[in-house]
Amino acid sequence: MASSLVIIPTYNEAENIEKLLRNIFAQQRAFEVLVVDDNSPDGTATLVKSLQQEFIDRLHILERPGKNGLGTAYIAGFKWALQGKYSYIFEMDADFSHAPNDLVRLYNACARGGADLAIGSRYITGVNVVNWPMGRVLMSYIASKYVRFITGMDVADTTAGFICYKRRVLEKINLDKIKFVGYAFQIEMKFKAYLLGFKITEVPVIFVDRTKGTSKMSSSIFSEAVFGVITMKMKSLFKRYDI
């Protein structure tokens, strides 16, 4: 069994998923992939299952009955991974906004660089975002600055979703106590790792907006991040924060 598992949540990603999987499996380092599909009506799961015959024991799928939020998809994936013997567990989008070549760089930051959690960061060396409208770039950048100020985390890209975790981080965090499902899920996971004293490293990456399929971003997801982080920080200050 490969020691590295890439978790990819999907909903209507049939246009992207096969090409993405082939790119991941073409990397010099051996990765396994778990696709967590939320009953995509476009046949994403069927396509993944057909590819399992080609990528035997490397491609896995976890099918859920419906769309229930990005955070819950990752939690389901984390729990599945922890039942195995994976040492490094990754979060990755299905739409090519995260480059498969950068998986090795995130892995090296943990396996060789001593990080417990490596973040593929859009903002550690400026603003490395391609094809986003300026308004969305500013919204994301300001949100990360805001979260950094409120939480005290020394992390430039607090809402990033391209991440490598060492197994022990996910074993230590109480996954059943994660409250948020959108951008705030990404913040909450980083914040809990930070409170537990794990070493967090940012690896500069270039984020490219999707060219196929439909974005899952919404104003409600963004609002959850803005307001949820205040609640999260206050709880950590004034009462026992269940990590």
Side-chain angles (χ1 to χ4, degrees):
M1 177 182 289
S3 66
S4 300
L5 179 74
V6 181
I7 300 172
I8 304 175
T10 56
Y11 184 77
N12 285 351
E13 295 291 355
E15 292 179 285
N16 293 306
I17 194 64
E18 180 174 357
K19 184 178 178 182
L20 178 65
L21 291 171
R22 292 189 182 280
N23 271 265
I24 293 172
F25 292 136
Q27 299 302 308
Q28 290 185 335
R29 174 160 185 81
F31 294 98
E32 291 184 29
V33 175
L34 172 68
V35 174
V36 182
D37 186 72
D38 281 359
N39 197 23
S40 299
D42 73 344
T44 299
T46 300
L47 179 55
V48 172
K49 285 187 280 190
S50 71
L51 290 168
Q52 284 183 303
Q53 300 173 36
E54 181 177 349
F55 300 108
I56 297 171
D57 295 330
R58 296 188 67 188
L59 177 58
H60 315 279
I61 186 165
L62 179 60
E63 295 181 85
R64 306 201 306 164
K67 204 175 176 185
N68 197 29
L70 179 70
T72 64
Y74 273 125
I75 295 298
F78 293 157
K79 290 181 176 180
W80 188 96
L82 292 175
Q83 291 177 353
K85 297 181 180 180
Y86 303 102
S87 300
Y88 302 93
I89 300 160
F90 297 74
E91 293 184 17
M92 187 178 191
D93 288 351
D95 60 5
F96 278 97
S97 56
H98 303 146
N101 291 348
D102 287 328
L103 286 167
V104 176
R105 298 175 62 227
L106 293 179
Y107 169 81
N108 287 338
C110 288
R112 300 178 184 177
D116 296 304
L117 190 161
I119 299 168
S121 178
R122 297 164 290 187
Y123 306 130
I124 192 65
T125 57
V127 179
N128 296 319
V129 177
V130 178
N131 292 339
W132 263 12
M134 183 55 66
R136 188 171 173 186
V137 173
L138 288 173
M139 182 176 70
S140 175
Y141 182 75
I142 292 170
S144 281
K145 288 284 190 182
Y146 162 80
V147 172
R148 187 175 185 177
F149 174 75
I150 296 294
T151 62
M153 289 190 292
D154 187 19
V155 175
D157 195 350
T158 55
T159 62
F162 192 21
I163 299 168
C164 176
Y165 294 93
K166 279 186 176 173
R167 180 187 183 93
R168 63 187 181 189
V169 178
L170 298 180
E171 288 177 330
K172 189 71 174 179
I173 293 173
N174 187 339
L175 298 175
D176 292 325
K177 296 295 184 179
I178 298 296
K179 302 295 185 184
F180 300 112
V181 298
Y183 261 8
F185 162 78
Q186 302 293 3
I187 299 165
E188 187 176 7
M189 289 294 294
K190 295 178 185 71
F191 187 53
K192 290 191 173 185
Y194 163 76
L195 292 177
L196 287 166
F198 288 112
K199 181 180 178 181
I200 302 174
T201 295
E202 291 184 87
V203 176
V205 300
I206 296 175
F207 180 96
V208 181
D209 196 19
R210 68 164 62 237
T211 58
K212 295 180 180 179
T214 304
S215 173
K216 313 302 188 294
M217 178 55 62
S218 68
S219 58
S220 62
I221 289 175
F222 180 75
S223 296
E224 180 193 57
V226 172
F227 297 108
V229 69
I230 297 176
T231 302
M232 190 175 65
K233 177 63 176 179
M234 294 297 286
K235 286 182 178 180
S236 73
L237 290 174
F238 295 108
K239 68 176 184 179
R240 184 181 179 277
Y241 190 47
D242 195 344
I243 302 176

